[in-house]
Coordinates of all heavy atoms in Angstrom, one line a residue:
M1 N -26.6 74.8 47.9 CA -25.4 73.9 48.1 C -25.0 73.4 46.7 O -25.7 72.8 46.0 CB -25.8 72.7 49.0 CG -24.7 71.8 49.2 SD -25.1 70.5 50.4 CE -24.2 69.2 49.7
Q2 N -23.7 73.8 46.4 CA -23.2 73.4 45.1 C -22.4 72.1 45.3 O -21.9 71.7 46.3 CB -22.2 74.5 44.6 CG -23.0 75.7 44.2 CD -22.0 76.7 43.6 OE1 -20.8 76.6 43.7 NE2 -22.6 77.7 42.9
I3 N -22.4 71.3 44.2 CA -21.6 70.1 44.1 C -20.1 70.4 43.9 O -19.8 71.2 43.0 CB -22.1 69.1 43.0 CG1 -23.6 68.8 43.3 CG2 -21.3 67.9 42.9 CD1 -24.2 67.9 42.3
Q4 N -19.3 69.9 44.8 CA -17.9 70.2 44.7 C -17.2 69.1 43.8 O -17.7 68.0 43.6 CB -17.2 70.3 46.0 CG -17.8 71.4 46.8 CD -17.1 71.4 48.2 OE1 -16.5 70.5 48.6 NE2 -17.5 72.5 49.0
T5 N -16.0 69.3 43.5 CA -15.2 68.5 42.6 C -15.0 67.1 43.3 O -15.0 66.0 42.7 CB -13.9 69.1 42.2 OG1 -14.1 70.4 41.6 CG2 -13.1 68.2 41.2
V6 N -14.7 67.2 44.6 CA -14.5 65.9 45.4 C -15.7 65.0 45.3 O -15.6 63.8 45.2 CB -14.1 66.2 46.8 CG1 -13.9 65.1 47.6 CG2 -12.8 67.1 46.8
Q7 N -16.8 65.6 45.4 CA -18.1 64.9 45.4 C -18.3 64.2 44.0 O -18.8 63.1 43.9 CB -19.3 65.7 45.7 CG -19.2 66.2 47.2 CD -20.3 67.2 47.5 OE1 -20.7 67.9 46.6 NE2 -20.7 67.2 48.8
I8 N -18.0 64.9 42.9 CA -18.2 64.3 41.6 C -17.2 63.3 41.4 O -17.6 62.1 40.9 CB -17.9 65.5 40.5 CG1 -19.0 66.5 40.6 CG2 -17.8 64.9 39.2 CD1 -18.9 67.7 39.7
V9 N -16.0 63.4 41.8 CA -15.0 62.3 41.6 C -15.4 61.1 42.5 O -15.2 60.0 42.0 CB -13.6 62.9 42.0 CG1 -12.5 61.8 42.1 CG2 -13.1 64.0 41.1
T10 N -15.8 61.4 43.7 CA -16.3 60.3 44.5 C -17.4 59.5 43.9 O -17.5 58.2 43.9 CB -16.7 60.7 45.9 OG1 -15.6 61.5 46.5 CG2 -17.0 59.6 46.9
G11 N -18.4 60.2 43.4 CA -19.5 59.6 42.7 C -19.1 58.8 41.4 O -19.6 57.7 41.3
L12 N -18.2 59.3 40.7 CA -17.7 58.6 39.5 C -16.9 57.3 40.0 O -17.1 56.2 39.3 CB -16.7 59.4 38.7 CG -17.5 60.6 37.9 CD1 -16.4 61.4 37.2 CD2 -18.4 59.9 36.8
L13 N -16.1 57.4 41.0 CA -15.3 56.2 41.5 C -16.3 55.2 42.0 O -16.2 54.0 41.8 CB -14.4 56.6 42.6 CG -13.2 57.4 42.1 CD1 -12.2 57.8 43.3 CD2 -12.3 56.6 41.2
A14 N -17.4 55.6 42.7 CA -18.4 54.7 43.1 C -19.1 54.0 42.0 O -19.3 52.8 42.1 CB -19.4 55.4 44.0
A15 N -19.5 54.7 40.9 CA -20.1 54.1 39.8 C -19.1 53.2 39.1 O -19.6 52.1 38.7 CB -20.5 55.2 38.7
I16 N -17.9 53.5 39.0 CA -16.9 52.5 38.4 C -16.8 51.3 39.3 O -16.7 50.2 38.7 CB -15.5 53.2 38.2 CG1 -15.6 54.3 37.1 CG2 -14.5 52.3 37.8 CD1 -14.5 55.2 36.9
A17 N -16.7 51.4 40.6 CA -16.6 50.3 41.4 C -17.8 49.4 41.4 O -17.7 48.2 41.3 CB -16.4 50.8 42.9
F18 N -19.1 49.9 41.2 CA -20.2 49.2 41.0 C -20.2 48.4 39.6 O -20.6 47.3 39.6 CB -21.5 50.0 41.1 CG -22.0 50.2 42.5 CD1 -21.9 51.5 43.1 CD2 -22.4 49.1 43.2 CE1 -22.4 51.6 44.4 CE2 -22.9 49.3 44.6 CZ -22.9 50.5 45.1
V19 N -19.8 49.1 38.6 CA -19.7 48.4 37.3 C -18.6 47.2 37.4 O -19.0 46.2 36.9 CB -19.3 49.4 36.2 CG1 -18.9 48.8 35.0 CG2 -20.4 50.4 36.0
I20 N -17.5 47.4 38.0 CA -16.6 46.4 38.1 C -17.1 45.2 39.0 O -16.8 44.1 38.7 CB -15.2 46.9 38.7 CG1 -14.6 47.9 37.6 CG2 -14.3 45.9 39.1 CD1 -13.4 48.6 38.2
A21 N -17.8 45.5 40.1 CA -18.4 44.5 40.8 C -19.4 43.7 40.1 O -19.4 42.5 40.2 CB -19.1 45.2 42.1
F22 N -20.2 44.4 39.3 CA -21.2 43.6 38.5 C -20.6 42.8 37.4 O -20.9 41.6 37.1 CB -22.2 44.5 37.9 CG -23.3 45.0 38.8 CD1 -23.4 46.3 39.1 CD2 -24.2 44.1 39.4 CE1 -24.4 46.8 40.0 CE2 -25.1 44.5 40.3 CZ -25.3 45.9 40.6
I23 N -19.5 43.2 36.8 CA -18.8 42.5 35.9 C -18.2 41.2 36.5 O -18.2 40.2 36.0 CB -17.8 43.4 35.2 CG1 -18.4 44.3 34.2 CG2 -16.7 42.5 34.3 CD1 -17.4 45.4 33.6
S24 N -17.6 41.4 37.7 CA -17.0 40.3 38.4 C -17.9 39.3 38.9 O -17.7 38.1 38.7 CB -16.2 40.9 39.6 OG -15.2 41.7 39.3
A25 N -19.1 39.8 39.3 CA -20.2 38.8 39.6 C -20.6 38.0 38.4 O -20.8 36.8 38.5 CB -21.3 39.6 40.2
G26 N -20.7 38.7 37.3 CA -21.1 38.0 36.1 C -20.2 36.9 35.6 O -20.5 35.8 35.2
A27 N -18.8 37.4 35.7 CA -17.8 36.5 35.4 C -17.8 35.3 36.3 O -17.5 34.1 35.9 CB -16.4 37.2 35.4
A28 N -18.0 35.5 37.7 CA -18.0 34.4 38.6 C -19.2 33.3 38.2 O -19.1 32.2 38.4 CB -18.2 34.9 40.0
I29 N -20.3 34.0 37.9 CA -21.5 33.1 37.6 C -21.2 32.3 36.3 O -21.5 31.2 36.3 CB -22.8 34.0 37.4 CG1 -23.1 34.5 38.8 CG2 -23.9 33.2 36.8 CD1 -24.2 35.5 38.7
I30 N -20.7 33.0 35.3 CA -20.4 32.2 34.1 C -19.3 31.1 34.3 O -19.4 30.1 33.8 CB -19.9 33.2 33.0 CG1 -21.0 34.2 32.7 CG2 -19.4 32.5 31.7 CD1 -21.7 34.0 31.4
S31 N -18.3 31.5 35.0 CA -17.2 30.6 35.4 C -17.8 29.4 36.2 O -17.5 28.2 36.0 CB -16.2 31.2 36.2 OG -15.2 30.3 36.6
S32 N -18.7 29.6 37.1 CA -19.4 28.5 37.9 C -20.2 27.6 36.9 O -20.2 26.4 37.1 CB -20.2 29.1 39.0 OG -19.5 29.8 39.9
V33 N -20.9 28.2 36.0 CA -21.7 27.4 35.1 C -20.8 26.5 34.2 O -21.0 25.3 34.1 CB -22.6 28.3 34.2 CG1 -23.1 27.5 33.0 CG2 -23.6 28.9 35.0
F34 N -19.7 27.1 33.7 CA -18.8 26.2 32.9 C -18.1 25.1 33.8 O -17.9 24.0 33.3 CB -17.8 27.1 32.2 CG -18.4 27.7 30.9 CD1 -18.6 29.0 30.8 CD2 -18.6 26.9 29.8 CE1 -19.0 29.6 29.7 CE2 -19.2 27.5 28.7 CZ -19.4 28.8 28.6
A35 N -17.8 25.5 35.1 CA -17.2 24.5 35.9 C -18.2 23.3 36.2 O -17.9 22.2 36.2 CB -16.8 25.1 37.2
L36 N -19.5 23.7 36.3 CA -20.5 22.7 36.5 C -20.7 21.8 35.4 O -20.9 20.6 35.4 CB -21.8 23.3 36.9 CG -23.0 22.5 37.2 CD1 -22.8 21.6 38.5 CD2 -24.3 23.3 37.5
I37 N -20.7 22.4 34.1 CA -20.8 21.6 33.0 C -19.6 20.7 32.7 O -19.7 19.5 32.4 CB -20.9 22.6 31.7 CG1 -22.2 23.3 31.7 CG2 -20.6 21.9 30.4 CD1 -22.3 24.5 30.7
G38 N -18.4 21.2 33.1 CA -17.2 20.3 33.0 C -17.3 19.2 34.0 O -16.9 18.0 33.7
A39 N -17.7 19.4 35.2 CA -17.8 18.4 36.2 C -18.9 17.4 35.8 O -18.7 16.2 36.0 CB -18.2 19.0 37.5
C40 N -19.9 17.7 35.2 CA -21.0 16.8 34.7 C -20.4 16.0 33.6 O -20.7 14.8 33.5 CB -22.2 17.6 34.2 SG -23.2 18.3 35.6
A41 N -19.7 16.6 32.6 CA -19.1 15.8 31.5 C -18.1 14.8 32.0 O -18.1 13.7 31.6 CB -18.4 16.9 30.6
L42 N -17.3 15.2 33.0 CA -16.4 14.3 33.7 C -17.0 13.2 34.4 O -16.6 12.0 34.2 CB -15.4 15.1 34.5 CG -14.2 14.3 35.2 CD1 -13.3 13.8 34.0 CD2 -13.4 15.1 36.1
A43 N -18.1 13.5 35.1 CA -18.8 12.5 35.8 C -19.4 11.5 34.8 O -19.4 10.3 35.0 CB -19.9 13.1 36.6
W44 N -20.0 11.9 33.7 CA -20.6 11.1 32.7 C -19.5 10.2 32.0 O -19.7 9.0 31.8 CB -21.3 11.9 31.6 CG -21.8 11.1 30.4 CD1 -23.0 10.4 30.5 CD2 -21.2 10.9 29.2 NE1 -23.1 9.8 29.2 CE2 -22.0 10.1 28.5 CE3 -20.0 11.3 28.6 CZ2 -21.7 9.6 27.2 CZ3 -19.7 10.9 27.4 CH2 -20.6 10.1 26.7
L45 N -18.3 10.7 31.7 CA -17.2 9.9 31.3 C -16.8 8.8 32.2 O -16.6 7.7 31.8 CB -16.0 10.8 31.0 CG -14.8 10.2 30.4 CD1 -15.1 9.6 29.0 CD2 -13.7 11.2 30.3
V46 N -16.6 9.2 33.4 CA -16.3 8.1 34.4 C -17.3 7.1 34.6 O -17.1 5.9 34.7 CB -15.9 8.8 35.8 CG1 -15.9 7.8 36.9 CG2 -14.7 9.6 35.7
Y47 N -18.6 7.5 34.6 CA -19.7 6.6 34.6 C -19.7 5.6 33.5 O -19.9 4.4 33.6 CB -21.0 7.3 34.7 CG -22.2 6.4 34.6 CD1 -22.7 5.6 35.7 CD2 -23.0 6.4 33.4 CE1 -23.8 4.9 35.5 CE2 -24.1 5.6 33.4 CZ -24.5 4.8 34.4 OH -25.6 4.0 34.2
T48 N -19.6 6.1 32.2 CA -19.6 5.2 31.1 C -18.5 4.3 31.1 O -18.6 3.1 30.7 CB -19.7 6.1 29.8 OG1 -18.6 7.0 29.7 CG2 -21.0 6.8 29.6
I49 N -17.2 4.8 31.4 CA -16.1 3.8 31.5 C -16.3 2.8 32.5 O -16.0 1.6 32.3 CB -14.8 4.6 31.7 CG1 -14.4 5.5 30.5 CG2 -13.6 3.7 32.0 CD1 -13.3 6.4 30.6
A50 N -16.7 3.2 33.7 CA -16.9 2.2 34.8 C -18.0 1.2 34.4 O -17.9 0.0 34.7 CB -17.4 2.9 36.1
K51 N -19.1 1.7 33.8 CA -20.2 0.8 33.3 C -19.6 -0.2 32.3 O -20.0 -1.5 32.4 CB -21.3 1.6 32.8 CG -22.5 0.9 32.3 CD -23.6 1.7 31.8 CE -24.7 1.0 31.1 NZ -25.7 1.9 30.6
R52 N -18.8 0.2 31.3 CA -18.3 -0.6 30.3 C -17.4 -1.7 31.0 O -17.4 -2.9 30.6 CB -17.5 0.2 29.3 CG -17.0 -0.7 28.1 CD -16.4 0.1 27.1 NE -17.3 1.1 26.5 CZ -17.0 2.2 25.8 NH1 -15.7 2.5 25.7 NH2 -17.9 2.9 25.4
M53 N -16.5 -1.2 32.0 CA -15.6 -2.2 32.6 C -16.4 -3.2 33.4 O -16.0 -4.4 33.4 CB -14.6 -1.4 33.4 CG -13.7 -0.6 32.7 SD -12.5 0.4 33.7 CE -11.6 -1.0 34.5
L54 N -17.4 -2.8 34.1 CA -18.2 -3.7 34.9 C -19.0 -4.7 34.1 O -19.1 -5.9 34.4 CB -19.1 -2.9 35.9 CG -18.4 -2.2 37.0 CD1 -19.4 -1.4 37.8 CD2 -17.7 -3.2 38.0
L55 N -19.5 -4.2 32.9 CA -20.2 -5.1 32.0 C -19.2 -6.1 31.4 O -19.6 -7.3 31.3 CB -20.9 -4.2 30.9 CG -21.9 -4.9 30.1 CD1 -23.1 -5.1 31.0 CD2 -22.4 -4.1 28.9
H56 N -18.1 -5.6 31.0 CA -17.1 -6.6 30.5 C -16.6 -7.6 31.5 O -16.4 -8.8 31.2 CB -15.8 -5.8 30.0 CG -14.8 -6.6 29.3 ND1 -14.9 -7.2 28.2 CD2 -13.5 -6.9 29.8 CE1 -13.8 -7.9 27.9 NE2 -13.0 -7.8 28.9
R57 N -16.5 -7.1 32.7 CA -16.1 -8.1 33.8 C -17.2 -9.1 34.1 O -16.9 -10.3 34.2 CB -15.8 -7.3 35.1 CG -15.4 -8.0 36.3 CD -15.1 -7.1 37.4 NE -15.3 -7.9 38.7 CZ -15.2 -7.4 39.8 NH1 -15.2 -6.0 39.9 NH2 -15.4 -8.0 40.9
S58 N -18.4 -8.7 34.1 CA -19.6 -9.7 34.3 C -19.7 -10.7 33.2 O -20.0 -11.8 33.4 CB -20.9 -9.0 34.6 OG -21.3 -8.2 33.4
E59 N -19.4 -10.2 31.9 CA -19.5 -11.1 30.8 C -18.3 -12.1 30.8 O -18.5 -13.3 30.5 CB -19.5 -10.3 29.5 CG -20.7 -9.5 29.1 CD -20.5 -8.7 27.9 OE1 -19.4 -8.7 27.3 OE2 -21.5 -8.0 27.5
R60 N -17.2 -11.7 31.3 CA -16.0 -12.6 31.4 C -16.2 -13.6 32.5 O -15.9 -14.7 32.3 CB -14.8 -11.7 31.7 CG -13.5 -12.6 31.7 CD -12.4 -11.8 32.1 NE -12.5 -11.1 33.3 CZ -11.9 -10.1 33.8 NH1 -11.0 -9.5 33.1 NH2 -12.1 -9.7 35.1
N61 N -16.8 -13.2 33.6 CA -17.1 -14.2 34.7 C -18.3 -15.1 34.4 O -18.4 -16.2 34.9 CB -17.3 -13.4 35.9 CG -16.1 -12.7 36.5 OD1 -15.1 -13.1 36.1 ND2 -16.4 -11.8 37.3
A62 N -19.1 -14.8 33.5 CA -20.3 -15.5 33.2 C -20.0 -16.6 32.2 O -20.8 -17.7 32.1 CB -21.4 -14.6 32.7
T63 N -19.1 -16.5 31.3 CA -18.8 -17.5 30.3 C -18.0 -18.6 30.9 O -17.0 -18.5 31.6 CB -17.9 -16.8 29.1 OG1 -16.8 -16.3 29.7 CG2 -18.7 -15.8 28.4
P64 N -18.5 -19.8 30.7 CA -17.8 -21.0 31.2 C -16.6 -21.3 30.5 O -16.5 -21.2 29.2 CB -18.9 -22.1 31.2 CG -19.8 -21.7 30.0 CD -19.8 -20.2 30.0
T65 N -15.6 -21.8 31.2 CA -14.4 -22.1 30.6 C -14.3 -23.6 30.4 O -14.6 -24.4 31.3 CB -13.2 -21.7 31.3 OG1 -13.3 -22.2 32.7 CG2 -13.1 -20.1 31.4
A66 N -14.0 -24.2 29.2 CA -14.0 -25.6 28.9 C -12.6 -26.1 28.9 O -11.7 -25.5 28.6 CB -14.7 -25.9 27.6

């Protein structure tokens, strides 16, 4: 049984499809990692701002006014 041209072309197309699928999966994983890093940075920023505001508020309420 000899390999025909259609089988060779189909094999090459399948190989190209697998390569593109692996590249897309890698890009999705990298994108997810950077999205997670960005979300953590944003959460830390919100936390520090809220902590500073609450600390400032508690100091303002603790000082007696004469």
Side-chain angles (χ1 to χ4, degrees):
M1 180 175 144
Q2 290 185 343
I3 297 177
Q4 295 178 354
T5 306
V6 176
Q7 292 171 333
I8 293 173
V9 170
T10 305
L12 289 174
L13 287 176
I16 291 170
F18 275 112
V19 167
I20 291 173
F22 281 118
I23 290 172
S24 298
I29 291 171
I30 298 254
S31 178
S32 298
V33 167
F34 279 112
L36 183 62
I37 290 170
C40 289
L42 187 62
W44 178 79
L45 180 66
V46 169
Y47 172 74
T48 55
I49 290 173
K51 183 178 172 184
R52 183 178 298 161
M53 289 178 68
L54 289 173
L55 197 67
H56 180 68
R57 179 177 157 192
S58 67
E59 288 175 0
R60 185 180 61 200
N61 291 340
T63 55
T65 54

